[in-house]
Structure formats: C-alpha cells, structure tokens
C-alpha cells in the first residue's frame, strides 16, 4: 500500500493516497508569464492581420513580384497600391492599418518584456537558455515563464512529462506500443521548444545572432551549448537518414533540448 496523508476538515478526516505536489507560481513569476502570453497573442493577431491583407490582394489579382514579403521593398510597394474602386481601396487601407497597429503592439510588448525580465529572479536561467541554438530571447522567456523554477523537476523525464513531450503508450498484456507525444502540459513552452528545434536541421555552426547571445553566459555554458548543438545536429541527420518524418524528427530534437545539461 502507498503512503497515506490525512486532511482535517471539520469533524471528519479525509485520507488521500499519494498526494502530488502542485507548483504555485509567485506573483512576479505569474506577471512575467502573463506578459509573455500577451506578446504571443499579439504575434498571432499580427499573423492573422497579414493573412487577411494578402488574401484581399490575391482575391483582386494584385500580386507582389518581389522576393520577400514584409520587407522594406514590400512595404513601399504596399504604399503605392491602388485598388479598382474607392470602396475596395478603403478596405485595403483598413487592412494595412490593422497590420501596422498589430506590429506596433507587438513591439511595445516585446520592449516591456525585455525591461521586466532584467529584474526577474529567473533572468540568469533565461540568459543561459539563450546560449542554445534556436532559443532566442522570446523563446527562452516563454519556456522559463511557463515552467518556473526548473529545480523542482526531479529528473529530465519529469520535465518532459510536464511539457507533454513524452510518447503516449498503448499496452495490452505483454504488447507495448508507443504513439505520438501526449501534448499534455505546458502548451506555450512546448510550442516554443518545437519551433526552436527546427534550427538543428542545418550543420552545427555559430551564427552571428548566436554569437552575440553567447557573449553573456559563462565559458562552461558556452562549451555545453556547442556540445549540445553538435550532438543534436548529428542526431537530426541520423534520424532523417533513417527515413523519419521531418515533424517526428523536430519533436525528437525538442525532446533532447530539454535534457541538455
């Protein structure tokens, strides 16, 4: 039999078997998490506004022939677009204004996030995570804000379980089958790690953005970052060579990032 705990409630005692502790974030931790989620919401709203504008232009066969959208050249092209009718041009201008407003909103939230994290007690963890390839500031903050103090996890397996990166299991008698990941737990943190894991598709290297991020962490963190990058890039190529689907490989990379020392 397992260990029992007693909860006194009035004249009665309730026996609870194997209580599981629940992490309660501090007010400061919850505030950073709210700010991080607001920034993510603004990003999704910006993507939706851009999609509506592009769909409107394609519907009227107004096509941009340049290379990259939302570049300075593309923005200059948008400023010169004239729609067939005055009513349609009003709609076009409103869509452009919506994109500009969401862009400014995103910039405000990102600036506020940078300012607030500087004095956060978990800022050293955020800085250390940025030493990893594919984990810039926003992904590092999202991960730490959602997970809180990482020392509360007894081992990497508990961390992966909290992130929903553990494979699901279907067992019957002596047969054991593992399926896709459970996706149970911290959705925002899991999404951030999976997005960052795509960076390991290319050979190991220190890009300019990563080089700038490595200026702050200690030498030990820098060495650990390079070892992790070399190991994960090699593992990515091996899994792809075995014929694994790209989505399966990137989830496996996100899983491995969580156990990186």
């Amino acid at each position: 039999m397992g260990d029992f705990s007693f909860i006194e409630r009035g004249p009665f005692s309730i026996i609870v078997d194997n209580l599981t502790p629940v992490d309660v974030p501090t007010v400061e931790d919850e505030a950073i998490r709210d700010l991080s989620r607001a920034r993510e919401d603004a990003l999704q709203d910006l993507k939706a506004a851009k999609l509506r504008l592009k769909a409107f232009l394609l519907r009227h066969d107004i096509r941009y022939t340049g290379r990259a959208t939302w570049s300075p050249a593309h923005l200059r092209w948008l400023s010169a677009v004239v729609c067939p009718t005055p009513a349609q041009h009003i709609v076009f201008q409103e869509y452009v204004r919506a994109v500009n407003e969401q862009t400014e909103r995103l910039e405000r939230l990102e600036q506020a996030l940078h300012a607030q994290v500087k004095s956060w007690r978990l800022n050293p963890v955020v800085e250390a995570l940025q030493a990893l390839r594919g984990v810039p500031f926003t992904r590092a903050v999202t991960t730490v804000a959602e997970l809180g103090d990482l020392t509360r996890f007894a081992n990497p397996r508990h961390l992966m379980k909290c992130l929903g990166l553990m494979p699901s299991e279907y067992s019957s008698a002596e047969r054991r089958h593992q399926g896709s990941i459970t996706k149970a737990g911290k959705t925002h943190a899991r999404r951030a790690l999976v997005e960052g894991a795509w960076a390991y598709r290319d050979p190991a290297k220190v890009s300019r953005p990563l080089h700038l991020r490595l200026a702050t962490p200690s030498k030990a963190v820098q060495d650990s970052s390079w070892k992790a990058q070399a190991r994960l890039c090699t593992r990515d190529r091996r899994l792809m060579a075995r014929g694994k689907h790209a989505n399966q490989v990137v989830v496996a990379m996100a899983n491995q990032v969580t156990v990186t020392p």
Side-chain angles (χ1 to χ4, degrees), residues 27 44 65 73 86 123 131 138 151 171 176 178 186 193-194 220 241:
V27 175
Q44 296 301 322
T65 58
N123 184 43
T138 53
T151 59
S171 302
R176 179 171 178 265
Q178 287 186 325
K186 305 294 185 178
L193 289 172
V194 171

Side-chain angles (χ1 to χ4, degrees), residues 64-151:
Y64 176 63
T65 58
R67 292 186 177 181
T69 55
W70 312 114
S71 62
H74 181 236
L75 296 179
R76 289 194 297 270
W77 175 80
L78 284 175
S79 64
V81 168
V82 178
C83 294
T85 66
Q88 291 171 337
H89 195 69
I90 291 174
V91 175
F92 167 74
Q93 289 179 326
E94 289 297 327
Y95 281 152
V96 171
R97 185 177 292 109
V99 171
N100 293 335
E101 290 175 352
Q102 295 302 331
T103 301
E104 294 173 358
R105 174 190 170 202
L106 179 61
E107 291 175 352
R108 288 195 306 270
L109 287 170
E110 288 184 344
Q111 290 175 3
L113 194 59
H114 275 85
Q116 294 296 322
V117 169
K118 288 181 180 179
S119 59
W120 189 28
R121 68 183 182 92
L122 296 178
N123 184 43
V125 183
V126 174
E127 292 182 348
L129 282 180
Q130 291 181 71
L132 292 172
R133 182 176 179 177
V135 188
F137 174 79
T138 53
R139 290 190 184 126
V141 172
T142 300
T143 303
V144 178
E146 293 295 330
L147 295 176
D149 188 357
L150 299 180
T151 59

